[in-house]
Amino acid sequence: MTKDMNFIDGLLGQMTLEEKIGQLNLVTPGGETLTGTVVNTDVAEKIRTGRIGGIFGVKSAEAVRVFQDLAQETRLKIPLMFAEDVIHGQKTIFPLPLALAASWDMDLVRATARVAAREAASIGIDQVYSPMIDVCRDPRWGRIAESPGEDPFLASRFAEAMVEGYQNNDLSHPDAVMACLKHFCGYGGGMGGRDYDAVDLSPATLHDVVLPPFVAGMRAGAGSIMASFNTLNGVPMHANRAVITELFREKLGFGGLVVADYTGILELIAHGVAADRADAARLGLTAGVDMDMVSETYLETLEDSVGAGLIKEAEITAACRRVLEAKLKLGLFDDPYHRLDWGRSAQPILTAANRQLAREAVAAATVVLKNDGNLLPLPAPESGKIGTIALVGPFALDRVNMNGTWAVAASPSTVVPIADGLREAVGNAVSVLTAKGANIVDELWLASRLNVHDWKDLSVVIDVRSPEAMIAEAVATASSADVTVAVVGEAREYSGESSSRSDLSIPEPQKKLLRALKATGKPLVVVVMTGRPLVLAEEALLADALLVAWFGGTEIGHGLADVLFGKSEPSGRLPATFPYSLGQVPITYSHRPTGRPAPGRFQKFTSGYVDLPDDVPQNDGLYPFGFGLGYGTVAYGPPRAVRTELAGEDRLDVTVTVTNLGDRPTLETVQLYIGDPVASVSRPVKELKAFRKLALAPRVAEAVSFTVTAADLDFSVAETVTDTRRRLEGGAFDIHVGPNSRDTQAVRVVWNEPKIEGKRS
Ligand code: BGC
């Protein structure tokens, strides 16, 4: 990068007010996947006249070049900045973000973001609207698919890894793209799990649960953030000066660009805080939203508002400076075409290495929930132990759903379907028979909603045959096989934006199929495709082996075959609780204790559900956060602390011995949680503070050590969102270690320290 900040000062000095406002206008030229009803018009003309600063949703290098050429016709030749929703890959699609978080492998997460960055940059994309790091504890919300799940610590590590992968420590390099942390903030807590709905959160919860991933992403260097659609304690985020500017920018030190979400500024009218477009624009700008996405309210009204004395030109200049700085960091002032030119020579799209990474990611993300009698891995194809596999279910041959929600640039044609992957793995040694067995859903109205983004290929195709005929065919197929693999679950657009569900079950036609398959008496492996935690209580009874494969992307077929035959160890651990029943949501392992804690099973006058059976954990779901099995058998010893009395800045080493009792190598994710049994406020029963994913050789015991410091023990005390401090209170702490958030063993230590209050943040 040869140009510097002085260059920006010089440029700003030459710009008219109109040109500055033009830089704040962020548009989409329309076509293909849109997430709102408003689309920009006359895009080319507006670029030529300096009234657009950035574009998103441009799908080809050729189109990027054409638009950039137009920007070069303007008086000051300020380059455009191109953005795209690259959520879990550009062309090579990786498992969904929720699934990548399930890997608990941040090197892998970083590597996927690096591949996505290179693929996107090669067609001229400068900025990606990712990572999405909204902590979510309500799986009714469809956008949990895009998120790293329910836990702020895991989400923070995910945020860092994604930012590092995208930006690669040098944004000016043509193969790096600017990360955009979204959605800022609180979006994951919408009322009733409904998208766009109101969020009410205490300031302390905001600081301890919602903000940590944003702070982690900022510290990792994220160049931008996107405001969220929701209100937060009554104030829409697009008008929330306290949180965006006073807290995130001024107190926490964010120095990058803030973009609106799709028509988020205009929606301030619908939220009931702005009277008209001018009012909305004024509120958005003064809140600290630098770029107005799609609404064009800034473009239309800001100049008049300056004239009327409603806003100061200096506020527009400050926002424009941040847009120009982002372009400077991206190297666009040195060469607006450098990503395009690099892309032409590098051709990094869908390479064998990219596909290989996507294949490995499937195993890393797949969570085994049940594996009775070690049904999995299936015997090696050449062993002769199985002759026929029945591959049943509406996803067996599917390509369209496999990429999951939000893979806007990907094509189903590049996907390896599960049937292909399985057939390739078994060669001629085993025959793989397929049967659809059931429609994803039977209702036409629902199918048409789920096909909302399918302008070429449909995700939900309703079979003309009757449900009974399809089940009969599947049962006949299963009956002639040695083992049945049933692939069932959600259509891809069951999750994602504007895809909240009021029911978390696998759709009924597929449940009927599973019941019929169980009745065949053949061993039943159930593979679940999903973008969210589902209620799998019945499936857990029907299946001999139960796997959550999420939506695995381009290489799902190969990756899943690797898992089924044990070529790869499935090593995913749940990044969000799978409830036992719908009524348990919102749900998290990290809840506060009640005055009448549930003793695990229902007991009158304790916190729980009168209609949940006795063997069901009342408030931590069917499968807890962090849960997942490998193919090995791993035993945990108790955690050992080198000492149990500590003070102040001491460091505490906690060690646990983890033993692979089996005769296969395995991968285990050792998790450390902390509980604070007595404090001035009621603290969550456990909070994740560290984890380590390790490879364990057969019959080997390994000592795993973690270091705990006082920084792991404090919490926020907050009067308002901006008036916050961290507080460390001395006393007893329970350090829990185990394979998931439920099955832990603990050691109690005392951290002697009078109340220490951190500086106000
Ligand atoms: C979504 C964002 C996305 C934007 C641009 C919005 O509807 O909330 O996550 O980045 O559209 O496509």
Side-chain angles (χ1 to χ4, degrees), residues 26 54-58 81-85 124-129:
L26 171 58
I55 301 198
F56 71 100
V58 180
M81 174 170 162
F82 292 87
E84 180 60 293
D85 284 296
I125 304 296
D126 303 302
Q127 180 194 27
V128 290
Y129 293 147

Side-chain angles (χ1 to χ4, degrees), residues 670-689:
V670 183
Q671 302 163 32
L672 181 143
Y673 299 83
I674 297 183
D676 182 354
V678 184
S680 58
V681 296
S682 187
R683 302 277 299 119
V685 289
K686 286 177 193 173
E687 290 179 309
L688 180 69
K689 293 293 177 180

Side-chain angles (χ1 to χ4, degrees), residues 28 33-36 56-57 84-87 128-130 132 134 143 146 180 182-183 187 195-196 226-229 259-263 267 293-294 406 408 497-498:
T28 181
T33 310
L34 295 170
T35 54
F56 71 100
E84 180 60 293
D85 284 296
V86 176
I87 307 298
V128 290
Y129 293 147
S130 170
M132 192 280 219
D134 299 318
R143 301 200 80 170
E146 293 173 62
C180 182
K182 73 185 192 186
H183 304 83
Y187 191 26
D195 208 356
Y196 318 122
M226 181 187 289
S228 56
F229 284 131
V259 300
D261 202 349
Y262 206 110
T263 57
E267 289 168 29
M293 187 192 282
V294 179
W406 244 185
V408 294
E497 187 170 350
S498 182

Side-chain angles (χ1 to χ4, degrees), residues 440-452 460 462 491 493-494 500-501 507-509:
I440 298 177
V441 296
D442 279 338
E443 301 87 336
L444 284 170
W445 61 269
L446 184 52
S448 80
R449 286 187 189 177
L450 296 171
N451 287 330
V452 58
V460 181
I462 299 208
E493 288 303 334
Y494 244 134
S500 294
R501 287 191 64 185
E508 192 56 26

Side-chain angles (χ1 to χ4, degrees), residues 58-61 83-94 112-113 115-125 127-128 166 349-350 403 406-411 414 554:
V58 180
K59 298 281 182 284
S60 72
E84 180 60 293
D85 284 296
V86 176
I87 307 298
H88 50 120
Q90 166 79 352
K91 294 284 185 190
T92 305
I93 299 302
F94 298 100
T112 66
V115 166
R118 287 171 58 83
E119 290 195 351
S122 76
I123 66 149
I125 304 296
Q127 180 194 27
V128 290
Y166 287 140
I349 287 179
L350 279 164
N403 285 332
W406 244 185
V408 294
S411 154
T414 58
T554 313

